[in-house]
Amino acid sequence: MSSYISDIATSNTQFEGTILNAASTHDSITFTFLIEEASTKKPFKVCFNNLFLRDASRSPTSVDAKTGQKLFTTGQLALKKIHTIPNVIKISKDSQSVNITWKDGDSYDYPLDFLYRYKGSTFATRSLRNQSSMFRPIIWNKHRFENSMEHFETDYSKFMEDDRTLFDALINLQRYGLTLITNLPKEESQNPELLKSLCERIGPIRKTVYGETFDINNLKEDDTHISSTNIKLPFHMDLQYMQHVPGFKFIQSIKNETKGGENFFVDGFNIGRSIREQDTEAYEALQIVPVNYKYAKGDMRYFESRPVIEQNDTSEHNIEPANYEYLIRNVNYSPPFQAPFTYGIYNKIPKDTDSESTDTENCILTAPGKLIERFTFSDFVRGLEMFETLTHEEKNQFMIKLPENSCIIMNNRRVLHSRNNFETNNKEDTRLFRSCFLDSDHFKSKMKYLEEKFDL
């Protein structure tokens, strides 16, 4: 089991306890357990939302064993009820875990430590500082993007040598969140300095947990990147577990010989606007409920919480539906690195569970303030269902199989990306990509400099 696989699977907490009971209803499971701390036994009773429990499963069918990354999205669970209906609930003989087998076939032993850790505490969400730009983003779907591709592609040599060409490419990147650099020198493609110099044409490269640049190679086993496998990747953004998420991602296509493996891109601003127009309460909840993200490999431990949608303060100007691009600031979405929820996961304990044979009159219950969160969480789940559905509608997707010796640059705070599964005709078929990141501050700095240079 990978060291990443959530703190629900491994624990250093020193306590003893016993799980007494687990009772289910159509949408929740109520657990009763005793915890011994400092020679004192404390009884607890907590009612968890079924979606939270199923989403927290770290079974082999739910989490990739090598990378520790989730193999499903929360939206997929919400769309089909079968995922969140328990089939069998069984407390282990030693009363240290509860096995839940769900109707979709998933089965996982939820340890006592998990119940204790998520019994009901106060959690805080950090916020990011406002980001703004003088150029107006253009919100797009497939049709609009494909009819606005005049400046989508830029020749590498001109990008590197001519500031006006660079400026045009960055304006396109600001407007649409995507731009493609073509005709990278093939003879230098294997050298990481090529991608680094391309990035540093805009600003200093961002060093991350993966280094300055990192390779994705289907011919080499890698327990760091699930993208080196041939499975289809869900729509996501990168490094959401960092306090300061890089603003832009570069993907260089060095070799792309496999069958399939197309890249898909979706404008998160377009998805946010659609949800806002259809269900304002769900949209509001997507701004409130913190989604937790985690990275734990080797000696690195990163954790961050952020809502799916962040927007600027409202004003008479940006509150108008036609000016939504001035209202929305960031979209945050990365299911592969998602940790268990800590908001809205508690349901009110059903009255029929009070008739248990175990004396639980003195149980410590979930704080009332945490129980109220379930109403917002319900709106959030509805918004997530819409988010999942809209991102997978073909009319909202731009698809491209990246040509060799090209590099696509995307706005990592706006554009979601995915990759199709791929096949190899023989063992030598190679899919070699190289990536790096750039902070938004450097992008904005270069834009401001070029605006001044060209007196715009």
Side-chain angles (χ1 to χ4, degrees):
M1 181 177 290
S2 168
S3 63
Y4 169 81
I5 301 183
S6 187
D7 52 6
I8 72 171
T10 57
S11 172
N12 294 319
T13 305
Q14 300 299 316
F15 65 83
E16 295 182 358
T18 303
I19 299 174
L20 302 175
N21 190 67
S24 67
T25 64
H26 71 285
D27 64 351
S28 63
I29 301 177
T30 301
F31 299 91
T32 307
F33 53 96
L34 289 174
I35 298 296
E36 294 184 26
E37 291 180 318
S39 301
T40 302
K41 292 184 178 181
K42 296 181 179 180
F44 293 87
K45 182 183 282 189
V46 59
C47 182
F48 287 117
N49 182 296
N50 280 350
L51 178 69
F52 161 72
L53 290 169
R54 177 62 184 87
D55 187 79
S57 171
R58 293 306 187 259
S59 72
T61 58
S62 293
V63 173
D64 181 71
K66 287 186 176 181
T67 63
Q69 296 173 24
K70 288 176 65 175
L71 299 174
F72 63 92
T73 70
T74 309
Q76 288 172 336
L77 301 183
L79 283 171
K80 294 185 178 180
K81 192 68 176 178
I82 190 174
H83 293 301
T84 57
I85 299 176
N87 198 26
V88 178
I89 303 174
K90 187 176 181 180
I91 299 174
S92 64
K93 291 182 179 180
D94 61 3
S95 299
Q96 295 301 298
S97 66
V98 178
N99 177 269
I100 303 178
T101 300
W102 302 91
K103 282 200 172 182
D104 65 1
D106 187 82
S107 180
Y108 183 66
D109 294 327
Y110 296 80
L112 174 61
D113 178 48
F114 170 74
L115 303 180
Y116 183 70
R117 283 173 180 263
Y118 292 91
K119 65 186 181 299
S121 303
T122 301
F123 303 97
T125 302
R126 303 176 198 168
S127 60
L128 297 173
R129 65 180 178 85
N130 284 345
Q131 297 184 14
S132 59
S133 172
M134 65 169 289
F135 278 90
R136 180 172 182 151
I138 297 176
I139 296 177
W140 54 267
N141 56 18
K142 177 181 179 180
H143 176 76
R144 185 165 192 176
F145 189 86
E146 292 182 347
N147 283 277
S148 306
M149 296 185 67
E150 181 181 356
H151 300 292
F152 174 58
E153 296 186 13
T154 301
D155 179 78
Y156 168 82
S157 295
K158 293 180 179 179
F159 181 87
M160 297 297 291
E161 298 169 5
D162 179 60
D163 278 357
R164 180 69 231 194
T165 300
L166 170 66
F167 191 28
D168 288 340
L170 297 190
I171 292 173
N172 189 75
L173 184 57
Q174 169 61 27
R175 285 175 172 167
Y176 298 98
L178 281 176
T179 198
L180 182 69
I181 311 301
T182 59
N183 301 318
L184 274 66
K186 186 176 181 179
E187 63 277 7
E188 300 177 34
S189 62
Q190 297 288 345
N191 188 348
E193 290 298 317
L194 177 64
L195 180 60
K196 185 177 179 180
S197 64
L198 179 66
C199 174
E200 291 181 341
R201 178 76 168 106
I202 304 173
I205 197 169
R206 165 78 176 269
K207 188 174 182 179
T208 70
V209 295
Y210 305 124
E212 288 189 338
T213 65
F214 57 96
D215 292 356
I216 304 296
N217 189 341
N218 69 302
L219 299 183
K220 293 183 178 180
E221 287 194 13
D222 187 351
D223 64 357
T224 304
H225 303 285
I226 198 171
S227 51
S228 63
T229 68
N230 66 348
I231 65 174
K232 184 174 182 178
L233 302 181
F235 281 102
H236 67 284
M237 293 154 157
D238 285 20
L239 302 178
Q240 293 291 315
Y241 46 79
M242 306 290 289
Q243 182 177 5
H244 300 291
V245 179
F248 296 88
K249 182 178 183 180
F250 294 63
I251 302 179
Q252 177 191 357
S253 174
I254 301 172
K255 288 187 176 296
N256 199 2
E257 302 168 337
T258 59
K259 180 181 179 181
E262 298 85 1
N263 290 90
F264 295 85
F265 302 93
V266 168
D267 185 1
F269 287 6
N270 182 46
I271 303 303
R273 181 174 65 180
S274 297
I275 296 173
R276 182 172 181 248
E277 291 174 349
Q278 297 176 42
D279 190 331
T280 56
E281 291 182 346
Y283 179 81
E284 291 293 327
L286 290 176
Q287 298 177 68
I288 296 172
V289 176
V291 180
N292 301 323
Y293 298 101
K294 178 179 178 181
Y295 181 91
K297 300 288 290 185
D299 62 353
M300 292 181 286
R301 299 292 183 273
Y302 295 92
F303 184 93
E304 191 57 67
S305 302
R306 44 178 43 92
V308 174
I309 291 175
E310 295 177 82
Q311 65 178 30
N312 298 309
D313 294 335
T314 57
S315 66
E316 292 183 5
H317 175 61
N318 64 23
I319 199 65
E320 295 295 328
N323 292 332
Y324 180 71
E325 59 270 31
Y326 290 120
L327 179 64
I328 190 167
R329 185 165 76 247
N330 295 317
V331 173
N332 306 302
Y333 192 71
S334 187
F337 291 94
Q338 199 171 309
F341 287 99
T342 49
Y343 181 103
I345 61 177
Y346 312 100
N347 281 16
K348 190 174 182 180
I349 297 172
K351 292 183 178 181
D352 56 5
T353 64
D354 292 335
S355 60
E356 301 166 5
S357 58
T358 305
D359 181 12
T360 60
E361 290 184 2
N362 297 318
C363 282
I364 299 173
L365 304 178
T366 304
K370 299 299 292 182
L371 290 175
I372 294 175
E373 293 174 354
R374 72 187 188 276
F375 300 111
T376 303
F377 190 77
S378 177
D379 293 337
F380 166 80
V381 171
R382 194 169 67 252
L384 208 58
E385 290 179 23
M386 298 173 67
F387 194 98
E388 183 82 12
T389 299
L390 290 165
T391 54
H392 285 84
E393 290 183 355
E394 186 179 348
K395 67 179 183 179
N396 292 323
Q397 301 174 357
F398 169 65
M399 186 272 288
I400 182 173
K401 183 165 184 176
L402 293 178
E404 294 183 356
N405 304 310
S406 70
C407 179
I408 196 162
I409 310 172
M410 74 186 76
N411 186 329
N412 189 49
R413 309 310 312 278
R414 172 184 176 181
V415 175
L416 298 96
H417 63 286
S418 173
R419 193 219 63 216
N420 215 345
N421 57 337
F422 60 85
E423 300 175 4
T424 54
N425 294 323
N426 57 70
K427 293 183 179 179
E428 296 181 355
D429 282 351
T430 303
R431 192 176 191 277
L432 175 59
F433 284 68
R434 182 169 292 139
S435 290
C436 69
F437 294 97
L438 173 78
D439 283 329
S440 296
D441 287 337
H442 304 311
F443 173 81
K444 292 190 289 185
S445 173
K446 182 65 73 173
M447 287 286 287
K448 181 61 65 176
Y449 163 74
L450 293 173
E451 290 165 14
E452 294 174 359
K453 178 175 182 177
F454 295 104
D455 196 24
L456 295 179

